[in-house]
Amino acid sequence: MLRESTLNIVIASLLLLVPVAALFLDEPFFITLATKVAILALAAVGLNLALGQGGLVSFGHATFFGVGGYSMGILASHAQSFTPLMEVPFLIEGTNSMPVIWLVAMIASALVALVVGALSLRTSGVYFIMVTLAFGQMFYYFTISWPAYGGEDGLSIYVRNQFPGLNTLDPIQFFGICYVILMLALLFVSRLNNSPFGLALAGARQNTERAQTVGINTYRLRLVAFVISGAITGLAGALFADLNRFVSPTMFSWHTSGEIMIFIILGGVARLYGPVAGAALFIVLEHYLGGLSEYWHIYLGAILLFVVLFAHGGLIGTLSKKERRHA
Amino acid sequence: MSLILLVEQVLNGLQFGVMLFLMAAGLTLIFGVMGLINLAHGSLYMVGAFAAAAVAAWSGSFVLALIASLAAAAAFGALIELTIIRRLYDRDHLDQVLATFALILVFSEATRWVFGSFPLFLDIPDALSGTVMLPGGIQYSLYRLTIIVIGLVVAAALFLLISKTRVGMRIRAGESDREMIGALGVDISVLYTLVFALGAALAGLSGALVGAIQSVEVGMGEPVLILAFVVIVIGGIGSIKGALAGAILVGLTDTLGRTMLPWAFTTFMDASAANTVGSALASMLIYVLMAGVLIFKPNGLFGSA
């Protein structure tokens, strides 16, 4: 059995080696697949901070994924049509520069997470799950019925946005961008989890009353964690939109929330690399089962049921054999 | 806006509300007694609708179709309770959400495999088609009126079942103290299967009744499931009374919001803009309602802390 830290290095290297090998074998499709894994893993890394470390079972992280996606969609569509986003009270132009879009996506989703979190964190347990779900649906129906940015049909962006010094349309270069961001996010989250903030957050999950007794404001603590979590998932949304060059209300749907959660469960709750392992496993399953049968969701459902019922700790828990309880 | 239109919309809202109640009653019972979040409840709604459509196509009888919807949904409910759901009762909510999400995937794909991707149609029976004249000269669809009546009758029957019968007494006892009722010699696992099958049957009935107005297709249960969750969160999880109040409130808010908001906005903006803004806001209205209720009552209208 491997130690978890060794396993993490193996996973990180595999995610890097597969697209590089694909580049030399001239199989660009696998590069795109690996890019998708990196981006979806990033979204799940965001959720894992709230769900794993904080114990906040958010069933509405599609909200932030979608806000990030639409931040990119709206800015890039204005840049594409050369129309300003707004003129009064001051002029805001669209942009196709990735760093600017990322910043906007993170700020926008952090702000939405602040509002959603401030309201949802007043509840707990099953109410929290349902309220976050409801906020996701609110955005879903709003984007469907709001015609300005494509409504139900979504919004196509014809050219991938620019990153200084790189050709983002080259699959391997775009993969590089996503991979570096994922690694930075993992580094950030692992530092955060071991900081006083992260430890207090884990303490509040294990015993809220005790955390409050020693003087921790658990509401504020959780809200900050929720906002950071939302911002990371929002950044993933912007990247996902750039990968597909398309945004649609589906990004807000509750299936998206469910899938982000599935990555974490498949990989292992509260494990640093759980989201990466889970997203990779999911995409591989989707690719191979999808090729095997039209009805691959049946197998996916069965595998998921098996993991939830029997394989506690997910992929990382099973491979590293060191049980870390989440409860 | 004319009075006749308003009354018609209120009735539509009621009809929507009682249908939501049939879904929400099962969900809230299952959560109240077993502490389980069941996302697969929408799949049971779909099973009921498909069973009804298949039996109606085969026999031509709407009554048989309704019976089939009840029986099929209850049977599938009991089956998944016995094989999977009962392993989830002492798990945390995260596991329950994921396992039942997995069940949705299995149910939806299996239905698509058996019936294909095209929607089926369940016709309103001849005896119930057409309209009736209500007092005040209002024409209203007889079938929708029948749904309201069926829904209210089921609601009343459920209240009697819960408050007057022995089974109901055990269900209430199970809600307040699971271990104690087991210790008193009640076979708790039989009770759980029964409650689950009852909730499933109500969901199936609701699917069949709505299936005759809309089309019967894979995935039809999901929007309704989310609305039913909104209903039980507004009403207070575990409370049947709360489910009824929440369902009517959500049904009326949604239906009236969709007609009234665009109309209300025309008073101060031009018609097409009002229509856009109004319908966008109307589609979010019930979620706003839910957020509002939870800010003032974090445990719902009838929920206990």
Side-chain angles (χ1 to χ4, degrees):
Chain A
M1 283 298 153
L2 297 163
R3 288 174 45 162
E4 192 177 331
S5 52
T6 323
L7 190 62
N8 291 349
I9 297 172
V10 172
I11 294 171
S13 332
L14 266 180
L15 184 57
L16 186 61
L17 285 177
V18 167
V20 170
L23 182 68
F24 285 109
L25 296 172
D26 201 24
E27 293 268 10
F29 177 70
F30 285 96
I31 304 178
T32 308
L33 223 52
T35 315
K36 201 171 164 190
V37 169
I39 294 172
L40 293 177
L42 181 66
V45 166
L47 177 61
N48 204 18
L49 177 65
L51 192 150
Q53 191 79 357
L56 306 170
V57 185
S58 162
F59 206 167
H61 257 53
T63 315
F64 316 123
F65 196 63
V67 168
Y70 269 88
S71 302
M72 174 274 178
I74 291 171
L75 286 174
S77 73
H78 281 284
Q80 168 170 294
S81 62
F82 301 105
T83 47
L85 194 62
M86 60 184 227
E87 286 171 282
V88 277
F90 44 85
L91 182 75
I92 297 182
E93 300 266 15
T95 174
N96 59 7
S97 153
M98 276 192 188
V100 178
I101 288 174
W102 296 340
L103 195 67
V104 172
M106 288 179 74
I107 292 173
S109 41
L111 285 176
V112 173
L114 184 68
V115 176
V116 170
L119 294 173
S120 311
L121 284 168
R122 294 173 51 87
T123 63
S124 61
V126 63
Y127 284 96
F128 183 79
I129 302 178
M130 293 309 146
V131 177
T132 46
L133 174 64
F135 275 111
Q137 290 300 103
M138 207 190 280
F139 278 89
Y140 177 66
Y141 286 115
F142 182 77
T143 43
I144 281 185
S145 52
W146 189 258
Y149 293 103
E152 205 170 350
D153 299 329
L155 199 59
S156 282
I157 305 299
Y158 303 109
V159 183
R160 192 168 280 160
N161 296 303
Q162 309 290 319
F163 189 88
L166 290 175
N167 173 15
T168 51
L169 276 170
D170 180 12
I172 194 77
Q173 296 195 24
F174 185 61
F175 170 78
I177 293 174
C178 298
Y179 185 78
V180 169
I181 291 179
L182 174 66
M183 288 301 134
L184 288 176
L186 283 168
L187 183 70
F188 171 72
V189 169
S190 81
R191 295 292 292 272
L192 192 71
N193 283 349
N194 293 312
S195 70
F197 172 81
L199 295 176
L201 188 64
R205 179 193 77 220
Q206 285 152 6
N207 193 332
T208 309
E209 272 152 30
R210 188 180 288 177
Q212 284 167 343
T213 316
V214 297
I216 295 170
N217 183 343
T218 50
Y219 177 81
R220 216 171 59 197
L221 188 75
R222 285 178 174 141
L223 187 56
V224 172
F226 197 75
V227 168
I228 299 175
S229 160
I232 297 176
T233 305
L235 177 59
L239 288 171
F240 192 70
D242 239 330
L243 172 69
N244 299 323
R245 278 169 276 161
F246 176 64
V247 284
S248 76
T250 324
M251 287 184 83
F252 283 111
S253 87
W254 71 291
H255 272 265
T256 309
S257 294
E259 278 181 11
I260 300 176
M261 217 186 232
I262 288 174
F263 303 149
I264 295 179
I265 302 291
L266 280 180
V269 178
R271 311 276 183 161
L272 184 62
Y273 272 71
V276 187
L281 183 63
F282 186 89
I283 298 296
V284 168
L285 282 177
E286 183 181 33
H287 182 64
Y288 285 101
L289 292 180
L292 215 63
S293 154
E294 196 187 329
Y295 306 106
W296 70 280
H297 269 148
I298 295 188
Y299 304 107
L300 175 68
I303 291 171
L304 202 59
L305 264 179
F306 180 82
V307 171
V308 174
L309 291 177
F310 303 111
H312 241 282
L315 199 60
I316 302 231
T318 313
L319 289 177
S320 71
K321 240 348 180 207
K322 207 178 79 192
E323 186 72 10
R324 187 192 283 178
R325 280 289 298 156
H326 72 280
Chain B
M1 177 167 286
S2 70
L3 184 70
I4 291 182
L5 184 63
L6 187 68
V7 172
E8 199 174 270
Q9 292 303 329
V10 168
L11 284 172
N12 280 344
L14 263 182
Q15 179 257 313
F16 188 33
V18 297
M19 281 303 94
L20 282 178
F21 170 72
L22 290 185
M23 277 290 282
L27 269 182
T28 206
L29 265 183
I30 289 167
F31 187 83
V33 179
M34 285 95 101
L36 176 93
I37 308 179
N38 180 24
L39 294 185
H41 211 65
S43 301
L44 297 164
Y45 173 91
M46 179 183 72
V47 165
F50 271 93
V55 168
W58 168 73
S59 70
S61 155
F62 192 69
V63 176
L64 272 185
L66 287 188
I67 294 171
S69 75
L70 282 167
F76 272 100
L79 181 72
I80 59 170
E81 201 277 340
L82 288 170
T83 51
I84 293 157
I85 301 284
R86 59 173 43 185
R87 297 169 197 274
L88 297 170
Y89 293 145
D90 48 4
R91 295 295 191 84
D92 56 30
H93 289 322
L94 182 61
D95 285 353
Q96 298 174 347
V97 164
L98 275 147
T100 50
F101 189 83
L103 280 176
I104 295 183
L105 297 178
V106 174
F107 266 106
S108 295
E109 288 296 298
T111 312
R112 202 193 306 278
W113 187 49
V114 174
F115 290 95
S117 298
F118 292 103
L120 301 183
F121 292 97
L122 181 61
D123 291 325
I124 297 175
D126 290 336
L128 294 176
S129 58
T131 57
V132 278
M133 186 70 93
L134 295 179
I138 298 161
Q139 295 269 345
Y140 195 70
S141 153
L142 178 60
Y143 183 71
R144 284 178 187 266
L145 203 63
T146 315
I147 290 188
I148 296 179
V149 173
I150 293 179
L152 292 177
V153 167
V154 171
L158 205 57
F159 277 118
L160 287 178
L161 177 79
I162 302 280
S163 60
K164 300 286 181 216
T165 66
R166 197 163 186 85
V167 176
M169 201 164 76
R170 288 183 173 165
I171 291 176
R172 278 180 290 136
E175 276 183 331
S176 51
D177 195 332
R178 257 177 273 177
E179 275 105 44
M180 184 55 89
I181 153 165
L184 288 173
V186 174
D187 189 343
I188 197 97
S189 55
V190 172
L191 182 71
Y192 284 178
T193 313
L194 199 71
V195 170
F196 200 87
L198 174 68
L202 292 178
L205 175 67
S206 159
L209 288 172
V210 174
I213 311 180
Q214 298 162 356
S215 60
V216 176
E217 58 193 332
V218 174
M220 65 186 285
E222 291 169 14
V224 187
L225 171 78
I226 310 244
L227 289 178
F229 273 122
V230 171
V231 164
I232 65 173
V233 167
I234 287 178
I237 299 176
S239 157
I240 296 267
K241 210 189 328 175
L244 184 59
I248 304 288
L249 198 59
V250 166
L252 286 176
T253 308
D254 191 57
T255 311
L256 291 179
R258 276 173 209 282
T259 40
M260 308 257 300
L261 272 185
W263 168 78
F265 278 113
T266 50
T267 51
F268 56 90
M269 46 171 73
D270 72 89
S272 73
N275 201 18
T276 309
V277 178
S279 48
L281 287 181
S283 64
M284 300 164 67
L285 202 58
I286 50 169
Y287 302 105
V288 176
L289 174 76
M290 168 171 157
V293 167
L294 286 175
I295 289 165
F296 295 105
K297 300 200 84 151
N299 290 311
L301 294 176
F302 291 85
S304 48

